[in-house]
Amino acid sequence: MKSIDFGTVIAISIHDMKNSLGMAMNSLEALRDPETGECNCDEQTIARLQYEAHRVHDSLVQMLTLYRNQQGLYTPRFRPLLVIELLEDYWASSKPLMDHSGVTAEIDCDEDLEWVLDRELVTAVLENVVTNTVRYCNARIRLSAAVRDGELWLQVEDDGPGFPEPMLGSRTTEDQAMLERGAGRTGLGLYFCAMIAELHTAPDGTPGSVRLSNDSDLGGGRFTLRLPALPPSETL
């Protein structure tokens, strides 16, 4: 797994959080009538506040997880769970953001599908991907999971414009290790997702992987997290 300069991670994360907090402060100011001081609860402004709050939360989770992994302080806890429960729990927590953004989400997953994975890490991937997908999609998102070729494929699809051409294909920590401070797309989010995928490496050396494509059934982009079959951690 290719490591990255944590100083660059901090700089990028602070830059992103500063922008999000700036947007949130502007949105809060817009809620207050400058003459009467009364609060005007505009749905679009509330949606923007929720989105920016999610971005700050995601940045903090990324920073902490990357730091703990780089310092050898994070040991994944692999345990079997029903994948439908993981998807439904995440959907329930993110539904207010989607509702305010006018986005509907559907889940496609066999109710009996069970897989061994680190729930905290995979949920962090979903948070990272879906928060950005809500920003770029038109109105629909699909969360799906299925077993293909002996791996669990977790996918997030949308009806937006799709990913830029340079981002398509498999993404690894090697691909994303060179981060650009101040760039519009720094690659930190993809590095984070690729790192989590690679932490899910099977005993035979087969790593998890991330792939981006524009072949979504909804007409937009498709994010795929592929996780190999793993044994449960010895200590749960």
Side-chain angles (χ1 to χ4, degrees), residues 116-133:
V116 175
L117 51 80
D118 184 304
R119 180 174 188 141
E120 180 181 342
L121 291 179
V122 173
T123 297
V125 170
L126 289 175
E127 290 175 344
N128 184 287
V129 175
V130 174
T131 299
N132 282 286
T133 302

Side-chain angles (χ1 to χ4, degrees), residues 22-75:
M23 292 292 295
M25 287 188 291
N26 290 337
S27 297
L28 284 169
E29 185 65 27
L31 287 176
R32 187 175 62 86
D33 188 301
E35 296 183 0
T36 66
E38 295 181 356
C39 180
N40 301 313
C41 293
D42 175 77
E43 287 192 5
Q44 288 300 110
T45 304
I46 295 296
R48 169 57 63 181
L49 283 168
Q50 287 188 305
Y51 173 75
E52 299 302 342
H54 273 267
R55 279 179 56 85
V56 172
H57 173 267
D58 291 348
S59 292
L60 290 170
V61 169
Q62 282 183 175
M63 246 195 322
L64 179 59
T65 305
L66 289 169
Y67 174 77
R68 291 169 65 191
N69 181 65
Q70 194 171 65
Q71 298 298 312
L73 301 175
Y74 191 92
T75 301

Side-chain angles (χ1 to χ4, degrees), residues 76-80 114-117 203 229-236:
R77 301 178 64 215
F78 301 125
R79 53 185 176 183
E114 186 176 83
W115 204 256
V116 175
L117 51 80
L230 299 170
S233 299
E234 293 183 3
T235 302
L236 296 181

